[in-house]
Amino acid sequence: MKKYLIPDEWRIIEDNFDAENHLASESIFSLGNGKMGQRANFEESYSGPSLQGNYVAGVYYPDKTRVGWWKNGYPEYFAKVLNAPNWVGIDVLIDGEKLDLYTCKVDRFLRVLNMREGSLTREFQVTLPSGQCLRARILRFMSMIHTETALIRYEIEPINFSGNIEYHPYIDGDVKNEDANYDEQFWNIHQVGSKQNYGYVFAETKKTSFYCGFGMKSQLSINGENSSLLPKVVSSEKKIAHHYTFELGKGQVAIIDKYVAVTSSLNHEISDLEKATETAVNAVYEIGFDQMYLQHKKKWAEKWAHSDIVIKGDVKAQQAIRFNIFQLNQTYTGEDERLNVGPKGFTGEKYGGTTYWDTEAYCIPFFLMTSPSQVTRQLLMYRYKHLSKAIENAEKLGFTKGAALYPMVTANGEECHNEWEITFEEIHRNGAIAFAIHNYLRHTGDYSYLFDYGIEVLVAIARFWSQRTTFSEDKGKYVILGVTGPNEYENNVNNNWYTNKLAQWCLKYAIECLDLLKLEAKNKFDALVIKLCLDVALELKHWQDVVENIYLPYNEKLEVIMQQDGFMDKEQMLASELPQSERPINQCWSWDRILRSNFIKQADTLQGIYLFEEEFSIDEIKRNFNFYEPRTVHESSLSPCIHAVLANKIGNVEKAYEMYMRTSRLDLDDYNSEVHEGLHITSMAGTWMSIVEGFGGKRVYDEKLYLSPSIPAAWDMYAFKITFKGVDLVVSVNQKTVSVYSQSDAPFEVCLYGQKYEIAPQSTVEVTR
């Protein structure tokens, strides 16, 4: 772990420059606005280790899958998240010497991510090799209003000298991905140019032909007065730069404001891209830096008004939850159904693709209760629009009759994950997509989505499960063979309980939804039967047979669910027995050794108990938790949050707090020594779940809201805001009482600790814990 960041309720603070931490900080201090984002690379030159990262939402490259063998159904490419042309750069020269913090003596340094305002600032004082000392202050933000734009203010002040200063704002298309094969570059640069104070680069991705425009304008001021100095234009085949050269006296201040626009053919016709880029730059340039920043801060205030969680008495816990919420809100805004929540968001290249099952299992619970329902509906529409691709994917694997297998990883609906044990075997992702529809309906009551779109997804998924099961004559049950569950430290296992349980539920739920459609909208039901060639009598009879007769492994002696067949054949060890020098095991052990061990990467059986908690008694949950959690190494970012929720359910608040701190500070404290590769964006929604569903005890049964709050001993109080069926609620918990404030203009019913309460309009109910 790394613990170099200063605890603060609203800010992430780094108060000392250490080049060893720079890659991690580039991830942690990243910015985004839903349409684009960037790692916290320095504006000025930096010759030390750095992962350059500028990303445009929805833009990817289909890199040829490199394997020494090929199998039918194997993905033909791996979708890379592309590093786009670098627009953040502003080289700074002092008497011809480049400012570079890697070679300077850094006398003072402060980097701050202001989560309340959505901005990144740096302040430093350095001494150059020449002995010249200067102070700098930089402010950067990516507009949440004008989402194709970003602004940078770069200020310097000579401390012990007067001299010649140069600012070189630029856009550079000569970029590559860190994981590029053979240092391949993925952009064709079509235009580089400048007119007056406007510079631009227009580029196209290879193979996928996404066109993107990058434009900039700058304004120089000295001692608070705008300068009329015109820049010298310096261009090359892939780069445009504007050079401002001027004299600056000791104690004087020079500021350059850089206005940037990033556009793409996802949002504009290619023929309009040049005009759209210049128009976007001019618009924010005319508004001005200060007014743009004011608008941006107001937008963030609106977001926090709906999604903030307050914790008193524990600054690290408070800082962590806000960091997680901040990253989620700047990664996905729900304005475009073609976009999704990438596992790294706008913070790194690793994993590739833009969509995993993480979205449905973790992110949808967050957006369901912190955003208008339309935001979650967009995520569901994303999957509906990809249904034909999911059916194609299943066909490649030999499935028929409209069965759908959604991809493990995708950028456009096609499977693009390049590990066979995941691509072919981690089929539980289908269940997460179906469950997300159920989750949406019970939180919103929007059955129009089910009747118009979701039912087709549920039928296609049910058809997949009905074909993926095999009837075992030996067991007299339906079995599912050769799978990988959420615990990816087990591959090619038989009868993973979580997978089998999800298959059973998906089939049962599809039957229920078809019955509901027939009852509520017979004409739509009849049209669906024709469209899908659905043999209602034959297919649904088989589905019901699987539901009633699927095999769910269970150990009678231990009275616990078995993760899969043969789990107890492994040597049974506890994670606490592992030497710290061998953690994380995925970085210290061979894959062979991991697969032969009983260690669990993340919640697997417990993931299923979390989803279907109402089917189990407290004693059953406790037995399974106490069996599986000690064997879990939590080397997936998705693991601690599920354990936090279940630990609260069984009354182990101390364990829940341990798991909450781990999931919430996973990246801030770099638990798994990998934050330099990017943040774990999708698991951050699990941090929110740890509080709201964990400590808050929030559940929805029969489309009604239930709360059973607990509180860690370290906290004086906490409060969270949720939206349920259009009603905004504020839940406040302290060591003695729980209160729920309803902002509705109508009475609202809530169940607290099993007791029903009706809250009057714009009123509060308070109960003793």
Side-chain angles (χ1 to χ4, degrees):
M1 288 197 298
K2 292 182 178 180
K3 294 188 176 183
Y4 65 92
L5 302 171
I6 306 301
D8 185 272
E9 291 186 350
W10 276 107
R11 300 177 299 166
I12 308 299
I13 303 171
E14 181 181 11
D15 67 349
N16 178 57
F17 180 70
D18 183 343
E20 293 295 315
N21 296 329
H22 184 60
L23 282 165
S25 290
E26 286 184 327
S27 298
I28 291 168
F29 290 85
S30 295
L31 291 177
N33 65 6
K35 283 250 183 97
M36 59 178 177
Q38 61 176 197
R39 290 172 59 82
N41 308 128
F42 290 165
E43 289 83 0
E44 72 278 358
S45 296
Y46 184 74
S47 57
S50 173
L51 174 58
Q52 289 291 313
N54 295 275
Y55 310 105
V56 182
V59 173
Y60 68 94
Y61 176 83
D63 197 26
K64 181 69 175 177
T65 299
R66 296 176 67 193
V67 291
W69 46 267
W70 202 264
K71 300 293 183 185
N72 288 335
Y74 202 85
E76 297 191 10
Y77 65 88
F78 178 70
K80 288 185 180 294
V81 175
L82 286 191
N83 179 25
N86 176 17
W87 52 262
V88 74
I90 303 176
D91 285 340
V92 181
L93 286 76
I94 296 90
D95 289 331
E97 184 177 7
K98 269 193 177 181
L99 175 61
D100 180 347
L101 268 63
Y102 194 65
T103 59
C104 292
K105 177 179 177 291
V106 181
D107 304 311
R108 289 200 302 271
F109 182 87
L110 180 68
R111 173 158 39 187
V112 176
L113 180 65
N114 187 321
M115 298 178 288
R116 189 198 295 267
E117 299 181 354
S119 65
L120 172 62
T121 59
R122 275 190 303 142
E123 297 181 22
F124 57 81
Q125 183 171 309
V126 297
T127 302
L128 279 65
S130 62
Q132 293 170 310
C133 181
L134 63 86
R135 179 189 64 80
R137 185 180 188 279
I138 304 98
L139 168 63
R140 182 195 309 181
F141 67 95
M142 306 188 72
S143 176
M144 295 295 283
I145 302 288
H146 303 269
T147 53
E148 292 180 322
T149 66
L151 290 81
I152 303 168
R153 173 165 285 174
Y154 202 113
E155 170 187 325
I156 61 171
E157 176 190 350
I159 302 299
N160 65 351
F161 71 97
S162 297
N164 182 268
I165 306 295
E166 295 180 51
Y167 276 136
H168 296 175
Y170 64 82
I171 299 170
D172 187 4
D174 189 14
V175 296
K176 64 182 180 181
N177 275 45
E178 184 183 52
D179 63 353
N181 297 321
Y182 318 113
D183 290 329
E184 182 181 6
Q185 291 186 308
F186 303 121
W187 293 88
N188 290 318
I189 306 301
H190 290 312
Q191 289 187 59
V192 174
S194 179
K195 53 183 178 180
Q196 297 177 331
N197 189 26
Y198 172 63
Y200 54 85
V201 171
F202 291 96
E204 175 195 3
T205 60
K206 297 178 180 178
K207 293 186 179 180
T208 44
S209 294
F210 291 107
Y211 285 76
C212 292
F214 304 84
M216 68 172 181
K217 268 192 168 184
S218 303
Q219 175 62 59
L220 175 68
S221 65
I222 298 175
N223 291 330
E225 297 292 331
N226 285 345
S227 171
S228 59
L229 180 66
L230 294 177
K232 176 183 177 183
V233 177
V234 178
S235 64
S236 61
E237 185 180 356
K238 296 184 177 182
K239 181 178 180 180
I240 185 70
H242 288 167
H243 290 195
Y244 294 85
T245 304
F246 52 93
E247 297 297 318
L248 195 64
K250 175 181 174 182
Q252 291 186 322
V253 174
I255 296 175
I256 191 163
D257 290 338
K258 183 178 182 181
Y259 301 82
V260 174
V262 177
T263 60
S264 85
S265 55
L266 281 168
N267 305 305
H268 302 277
E269 294 294 332
I270 295 173
S271 58
D272 296 334
L273 205 60
E274 291 183 34
K275 182 179 179 181
T277 307
E278 185 173 5
T279 298
V281 171
N282 286 335
V284 295
Y285 185 82
E286 290 301 316
I287 294 171
F289 192 98
D290 293 336
Q291 187 62 31
M292 282 289 296
Y293 190 34
L294 181 62
Q295 293 177 7
H296 175 74
K297 289 189 289 186
K298 286 181 178 179
K299 185 64 175 180
W300 267 108
E302 293 173 12
K303 285 190 171 292
W304 285 116
H306 291 283
S307 59
D308 190 24
I309 291 179
V310 176
I311 299 172
K312 297 296 184 184
D314 190 339
V315 175
K316 284 189 173 183
Q318 175 68 90
Q319 180 187 49
I321 186 59
R322 282 187 172 139
F323 178 68
N324 285 260
I325 293 170
F326 173 77
Q327 292 293 345
L328 286 164
N329 279 331
Q330 70 171 3
T331 299
Y332 183 76
T333 62
E335 296 173 1
D336 190 336
E337 67 184 25
R338 298 168 300 175
L339 304 180
N340 210 283
V341 189
K344 291 295 182 188
F346 298 118
T347 71
E349 305 169 5
K350 190 181 176 184
Y351 296 138
T354 56
T355 310
Y356 285 56
W357 68 285
D358 308 17
T359 293
E360 283 75 22
Y362 297 87
C363 298
I364 277 182
F366 169 77
F367 290 113
L368 263 176
M369 305 212 78
T370 62
S371 303
S373 61
Q374 180 65 17
V375 171
T376 302
R377 203 177 202 269
Q378 295 279 56
L379 290 171
L380 297 183
M381 288 302 299
Y382 177 92
R383 292 295 193 180
Y384 175 76
K385 293 291 182 68
H386 287 175
L387 178 57
S388 62
K389 293 286 188 181
I391 292 172
E392 286 180 21
N393 186 45
E395 288 174 348
K396 291 176 183 178
L397 302 184
F399 294 88
T400 60
K401 285 201 68 177
L405 176 60
Y406 276 91
M408 185 66 182
V409 181
T410 191
N412 66 355
E414 295 177 318
E415 177 64 76
C416 63
H417 197 287
N418 59 359
E419 295 172 325
W420 68 269
E421 69 275 13
I422 307 300
T423 301
F424 297 151
E425 296 194 341
E426 202 163 338
I427 55 177
H428 66 82
R429 68 225 192 209
N430 252 12
I433 290 162
F435 194 87
I437 295 172
H438 166 62
N439 215 6
Y440 174 73
L441 296 179
R442 65 179 177 171
H443 280 82
T444 67
D446 178 17
Y447 281 85
S448 67
Y449 172 79
L450 174 66
F451 295 163
D452 294 339
Y453 307 106
I455 191 66
E456 292 185 42
V457 175
L458 294 174
V459 169
I461 288 174
R463 283 173 159 172
F464 170 83
W465 288 122
S466 71
Q467 295 177 44
R468 188 60 169 82
T469 55
T470 304
F471 188 77
S472 166
E473 295 291 344
D474 180 60
K475 288 183 168 64
K477 296 281 187 180
Y478 288 94
V479 297
I480 301 180
L481 309 176
V483 302
T484 296
N487 171 26
E488 293 170 339
Y489 289 174
E490 301 271 10
N491 299 152
N492 204 38
V493 302
N494 294 334
N495 296 310
N496 171 259
W497 179 85
Y498 175 71
T499 303
N500 288 23
K501 179 66 178 174
L502 269 179
Q504 179 191 50
W505 179 86
C506 287
L507 290 163
K508 181 172 182 287
Y509 188 59
I511 294 170
E512 292 173 355
C513 288
L514 283 168
D515 288 343
L516 181 63
L517 178 63
K518 186 176 182 180
L519 179 66
E520 298 289 336
K522 180 67 164 54
N523 60 328
K524 290 186 176 182
F525 174 82
D526 292 340
L528 182 78
V529 169
I530 295 171
K531 180 179 180 180
L532 302 184
C533 299
L534 182 64
D535 188 331
V536 177
L538 187 62
E539 288 193 68
L540 271 63
K541 181 182 178 181
H542 177 61
W543 297 358
Q544 187 63 39
D545 191 38
V546 176
V547 169
E548 294 174 1
N549 295 289
I550 197 164
Y551 174 64
L552 298 171
Y554 186 81
N555 188 301
E556 298 285 352
K557 181 179 178 181
L558 296 174
E559 295 185 300
V560 296
I561 295 163
M562 280 291 95
Q563 182 175 275
Q564 77 260 350
D565 288 351
F567 183 78
M568 293 306 296
D569 293 337
K570 294 171 176 282
E571 179 185 6
Q572 293 300 309
M573 293 179 62
L574 304 183
S576 59
E577 299 174 52
L578 283 167
Q580 195 58 42
S581 60
E582 296 183 18
R583 303 287 296 271
I585 62 173
N586 62 19
Q587 297 177 26
C588 299
W589 285 14
S590 69
W591 194 242
D592 171 74
R593 186 179 179 188
I594 289 173
L595 291 176
R596 288 186 288 106
S597 80
N598 73 317
F599 293 121
I600 300 168
K601 180 183 179 185
Q602 68 190 81
D604 192 307
T605 300
L606 296 182
Q607 184 85 25
I609 291 176
Y610 159 76
L611 286 183
F612 306 112
E613 179 191 283
E614 64 270 26
E615 298 182 20
F616 303 94
S617 69
I618 293 295
D619 284 344
E620 287 175 314
I621 297 173
K622 187 177 293 186
R623 282 199 303 274
N624 282 279
F625 185 91
N626 290 338
F627 179 81
Y628 283 108
E629 195 285 325
R631 291 164 169 78
T632 304
V633 290
H634 301 293
E635 290 176 8
S636 164
S637 63
L638 302 174
S639 185
C641 62
I642 298 300
H643 291 83
V645 174
L646 292 179
N648 265 294
K649 181 67 178 180
I650 62 177
N652 191 345
V653 180
E654 183 178 352
K655 185 67 176 180
Y657 178 74
E658 174 197 332
M659 291 290 98
Y660 165 74
M661 291 302 287
R662 179 166 185 146
T663 187
S664 67
R665 299 195 66 86
L666 180 77
D667 290 323
L668 290 175
D669 294 339
D670 200 7
Y671 269 81
N672 292 335
S673 303
E674 58 187 12
V675 75
H676 61 280
E677 299 172 330
L679 304 179
H680 297 84
I681 300 297
T682 47
S683 74
M684 290 177 170
T687 299
W688 178 91
M689 289 162 53
S690 298
I691 291 183
V692 176
E693 298 184 4
F695 300 123
K698 171 257 160 185
R699 301 291 188 274
V700 177
Y701 302 129
D702 299 321
E703 298 189 19
K704 295 187 183 299
L705 182 64
Y706 290 73
L707 297 166
S708 305
S710 62
I711 184 170
W715 297 359
D716 297 330
M717 66 82 66
Y718 67 98
F720 57 86
K721 302 172 183 180
I722 54 176
T723 299
F724 182 72
K725 292 191 174 180
V727 176
D728 293 330
L729 304 168
V730 180
V731 181
S732 301
V733 185
N734 60 39
Q735 294 292 344
K736 295 182 179 180
T737 64
V738 176
S739 69
V740 181
Y741 171 64
S742 171
Q743 298 179 355
S744 174
D745 292 327
F748 180 82
E749 186 179 280
V750 65
C751 190
L752 280 168
Y753 299 114
Q755 179 69 42
K756 290 183 179 179
Y757 294 88
E758 186 174 277
I759 309 175
Q762 302 289 331
S763 298
T764 300
V765 64
E766 183 174 283
V767 301
T768 302
R769 289 190 57 247

